[in-house]
Amino acid sequence: MKRTLLAVTALLLTGTSVAQTKTLTVYSGRAKTFVDPVVQQFERQTGIKVNVRYGTDAQLVAAIREEGSRSPADVYWGNSVGALGELAEEGKFSKLGSALTRNVSDDYLPDSRTWLPTTVRFRTLAYNTTKIKPESLPDSIMDLPKMTSLKGRIGWTVSYPSFQDFLGVMIAQQGEQKTRAWIEGMKALQPKDYKTSNVGMLEAMRAGEIDVALTNHYYIQRVNRLSYPIDTYFFKNGDIGNLGNATGAGILKTSKNQANAARFLSALVARDAQTFFLSVNFEYPVIGNILQPTTMLPYADVIKRSPKVDPTVMPKNIEKAQKLLRDAGLL
């Protein structure tokens, strides 16, 4: 894997002309381990020094709001559609030109063209192949609370942004009452909460603490490299349990480095960077004609399993989702 990482990162952004040295500030809700090689190669190829502030989406969105016009951020690189949508609705982003958006899949590109999807992840159910037969699992995530045989054997990460985005869409589709009932039904099964640690949750599954877990597809792909007895279960096509969610980046209107910020966004959706995100992180690319690992469903297949969702519904319902979790004593 180290050899693969070096080979891919060596290709990132080759051919880009070196510009005058400037500084760019990026607020990243994406973890450093997943994106730092892309940032470093951008610096080497362009001569632009990138200062990255890492944090959770919630922390960085709050910082941008508090800083207002004084914010040093040029680019916000979000870990979820929910956070990106919040800032877009507040008018924080500049509109992106067609040169940035024309080659990107329309599946997660917002109509406002104010932020750019960079990768796509899908919610799914991980299961221990030595304990669970996939045919015993429900067709819909809405029926998961009925699985009383899994009491005390379910893992979830209620503080993780993708989980809260999922609940936000559930509210949009099913309403608050049914979402509250789902949360209470799940709580009755005494699930183990791993906060934001999806990796820790799958390690717990390998250790026998739990048998199934609500997570994102790429975490399962990563542990499969280590031959863990864990596999991916998708619910029926269109089920909310298969929700697709994008990472993405936008340029702050207050940025004083708009041109270089646009170069950075362009680098994130260039073929070599997209190959890196797929081959190392196992996230689906947002541009076409990139060879996928055989362990992953083709994008054309997995996108059919995800419900069709207006991305603007997530930010509108995040606070409602968090309130339901607090009311249930889970946050």
Side-chain angles (χ1 to χ4, degrees):
M1 183 52 66
K2 287 184 177 179
R3 183 175 296 175
T4 301
L5 176 59
L6 291 172
V8 174
T9 53
L11 290 172
L12 288 175
L13 301 176
T14 53
T16 304
S17 59
V18 176
Q20 68 274 24
T21 300
K22 290 188 177 180
T23 299
L24 197 66
T25 298
V26 176
Y27 282 14
S28 176
R30 306 234 52 205
K32 183 176 182 178
T33 52
F34 298 150
V35 302
D36 190 52
V38 175
V39 173
Q40 289 190 30
Q41 191 64 20
F42 177 81
E43 289 180 321
R44 287 193 291 269
Q45 296 297 328
T46 65
I48 299 170
K49 171 63 178 174
V50 182
N51 296 316
V52 186
R53 175 178 174 178
Y54 292 100
T56 66
D57 280 334
Q59 290 168 341
L60 297 174
V61 168
I64 289 171
R65 287 170 176 157
E66 183 179 349
E67 293 163 353
S69 62
R70 299 176 290 101
S71 179
D74 297 300
V75 172
Y76 174 69
W77 193 354
N79 197 48
S80 73
V81 168
L84 290 156
E86 286 184 59
L87 292 176
E89 284 203 343
E90 294 171 14
K92 300 292 188 184
F93 293 139
S94 299
K95 187 169 183 178
L96 303 178
S98 60
L100 280 172
T101 62
R102 63 190 172 199
N103 295 323
V104 175
S105 169
D106 287 338
D107 292 319
Y108 295 94
L109 184 65
D111 292 338
S112 64
R113 299 301 193 263
T114 52
W115 57 268
L116 197 67
T118 50
T119 61
V120 182
R121 298 83 53 81
F122 292 89
R123 297 296 295 174
T124 186
L125 188 71
Y127 68 96
N128 187 322
T129 57
T130 67
K131 302 287 185 65
I132 299 292
K133 295 184 182 300
E135 56 268 24
S136 70
L137 296 170
D139 289 336
S140 173
I141 198 170
M142 299 304 296
D143 293 326
L144 191 58
K146 300 175 184 177
M147 298 287 293
T148 55
S149 60
L150 293 175
K151 188 172 183 177
R153 308 296 299 170
I154 300 174
W156 62 359
T157 51
V158 297
S159 299
Y160 193 63
S162 290
F163 179 78
Q164 295 180 7
D165 285 341
F166 149 72
L167 285 183
V169 175
M170 185 185 291
I171 291 170
Q173 288 192 343
Q174 305 287 335
E176 286 188 57
Q177 186 174 349
K178 287 187 177 179
T179 303
R180 185 187 299 274
W182 185 86
I183 291 172
E184 292 293 347
M186 288 294 295
K187 182 180 177 182
L189 294 182
Q190 300 175 6
K192 293 180 172 63
D193 182 13
Y194 295 88
K195 306 303 181 184
T196 60
S197 181
N198 288 269
V199 172
M201 181 167 61
L202 295 186
E203 289 288 353
M205 182 179 292
R206 181 178 70 122
E209 294 178 16
I210 54 175
D211 296 333
V212 299
L214 293 168
T215 188
N216 288 343
H217 82 272
Y218 57 89
Y219 287 110
I220 305 170
Q221 291 291 317
R222 291 170 192 165
V223 300
N224 281 349
R225 292 179 298 185
L226 305 174
S227 300
Y228 286 13
I230 296 174
D231 207 347
T232 304
Y233 178 78
F234 283 105
F235 300 95
K236 64 184 178 182
N237 282 6
D239 192 78
I240 193 174
N242 307 329
L243 178 68
N245 197 354
T247 66
I251 301 172
L252 277 298
K253 283 183 178 178
T254 52
S255 167
K256 297 177 177 59
N257 299 296
Q258 297 275 327
N260 285 334
R263 292 183 71 185
F264 185 77
L265 262 62
S266 180
L268 299 184
V269 295
R271 180 165 303 280
D272 294 327
Q274 290 286 294
T275 300
F276 169 82
F277 292 133
L278 174 62
S279 63
V280 177
N281 297 349
F282 295 100
E283 297 174 272
Y284 283 93
V286 295
I287 63 174
N289 299 320
I290 294 182
L291 186 64
Q292 294 177 191
T294 57
T295 54
M296 293 173 63
L297 280 179
Y299 178 78
D301 292 339
V302 75
I303 193 64
K304 294 176 183 176
R305 297 173 184 263
S306 174
K308 299 299 181 183
V309 174
D310 178 353
T312 63
V313 306
M314 292 188 196
K316 291 176 181 177
N317 291 320
I318 294 301
E319 288 187 6
K320 293 178 182 178
Q322 292 169 342
K323 183 178 185 302
L324 291 179
L325 291 170
R326 285 194 295 269
D327 289 348
L330 297 170
L331 272 185

